[in-house]
Structures are given as C-alpha cells and as structure tokens.
Amino acid sequence: MQSIYLDHRALLLGQAQRIVRDRETAEDLIQESYLRAHHAAEKGPIENVAGFLCRTVRNLALDHLRRRQAKARVEIGSSEMVDVSHVPCGTPSAEDRMLQRERLDRFRGALDSLPERARRVWMLNRLEGWSYPAIAEHLGVSPGTVFNDMKLAMGHMADALSRAERER
C-alpha cells in the first residue's frame, strides 16, 4: 500500500492542488486519503489501490472546497477589513439617555400639574388600559366628563412637551 501511495504521490498532490489551490491543504488531503485507504485495507482487500487513492483525494478536495465556500458566505475573510464605524450601536449613547431622562422629567412635571381628576383619568386610561365607561363608573362621573378630562390631559401634555422641545 505504502509503495503504491509513494509511486502516485505526485499525481495525487497535483489532483488535490488543482481543486483546492493550496499546496499545504493538498498535502493534508493526500495524507488523509492514505489513512483512509489504510483503514479500508484493514477491513478487506482493495482491488485498485491507486484508483481508490485518486477517488478519495478528489472527494476530500471537493468536500474541503464546499466547506470553504460555505464558510466564506457566512464569515468575513481575515484579509478583508470592514468599516464598523458607521454601524449603529444597540444601546443609546450617554447623551441620548440624558435627553430621554430630561424628557421624562418634563412629562412627569406636566402630568403632576394636571388637575387631580384629569390626571387620574389619563393614568387609568393610558397606563391601566381602562375604557372611558369604566373610568366614568369608577369615578362617578359621566363618560362625557371622562372624554373632556382626557382631552384636557392630552392637550396639556402635548403643549408641555412642545414647549420643552422649543426651549432646547
């Protein structure tokens, strides 16, 4: 077996190198083909050892090429540089967090400055998800009053936030 391998080594190397286009990889593949032929010979005789080696080298080289192409579709090659300076970060910047905190403080201030009933109507509807009739029944007022309180609250909140935006 070893003598046949050594006699055909140059042919096997050329075959593998034509497919994978890399001498080191081709060397690894022909060594792997010899190991596979050796294991196969332990299980039973091989009629054409040279043919077996050629077929094994070809199959290993094609498998290697397919794996390399699949990997290239998913990964970025080490020789390629990617500019990540324009990739957005998933977390807000310190400035964005500060602006959101200021906006939330303004919102809370506007909510606190509402008349008590209008504030409760807004909170029950927007935070708790209650319907106008349910709020009306809970507070002992008409649904029209709830509607007017909600309109007052929404207008007040919108005005407070737009004033804050203009000041900024």
Side-chain angles (χ1 to χ4, degrees):
M1 163 95 53
Q2 188 175 8
S3 63
I4 295 172
Y5 169 75
L6 293 174
D7 289 344
H8 291 85
R9 187 176 186 291
L11 174 74
L12 296 171
L13 184 62
Q15 181 184 7
Q17 204 167 349
R18 274 192 305 279
I19 296 170
V20 298
R21 306 266 186 231
D22 179 56
R23 184 169 177 89
E24 288 180 28
T25 303
E27 290 278 354
D28 291 343
L29 294 175
I30 64 169
Q31 288 175 17
E32 178 66 25
S33 70
Y34 173 75
L35 291 174
R36 289 189 182 192
H38 185 70
H39 289 300
E42 289 176 349
K43 294 178 184 174
I46 300 173
E47 289 183 34
N48 182 355
V49 175
F52 184 91
L53 288 168
C54 285
R55 174 60 68 182
T56 304
V57 165
R58 182 180 183 282
N59 290 343
L60 288 171
L62 291 173
D63 287 346
H64 174 79
L65 189 63
R66 280 190 286 272
R67 279 192 306 276
R68 188 172 64 193
Q69 288 170 342
K71 187 177 180 181
R73 278 180 283 202
V74 181
E75 295 180 351
I76 297 170
S78 60
S79 64
E80 295 180 36
M81 294 301 290
V82 176
D83 180 18
V84 295
S85 62
H86 300 295
V87 176
C89 179
T91 59
S93 68
E95 181 183 6
D96 288 338
R97 287 192 307 268
M98 183 192 70
L99 291 172
Q100 291 301 323
R101 197 174 313 116
E102 286 176 4
R103 190 169 187 190
L104 182 60
D105 289 343
R106 284 188 217 111
F107 185 81
R108 284 183 183 144
L111 190 59
D112 289 343
S113 67
L114 280 170
E116 177 62 28
R117 190 179 67 210
R119 181 175 46 249
R120 288 189 67 201
V121 165
W122 185 88
M123 291 175 74
L124 289 171
N125 179 259
R126 296 300 174 161
L127 300 180
E128 302 294 328
W130 289 25
S131 67
Y132 287 6
I135 296 169
E137 185 178 325
H138 178 72
L139 297 177
V141 296
S142 72
T145 301
V146 171
F147 176 80
N148 288 333
D149 284 346
M150 190 63 162
K151 189 167 74 169
L152 170 74
M154 296 299 283
H156 180 72
M157 303 297 270
D159 287 345
L161 291 177
S162 68
R163 268 195 315 274
E165 291 296 320
R166 282 193 305 267
E167 290 171 5
R168 199 166 54 111

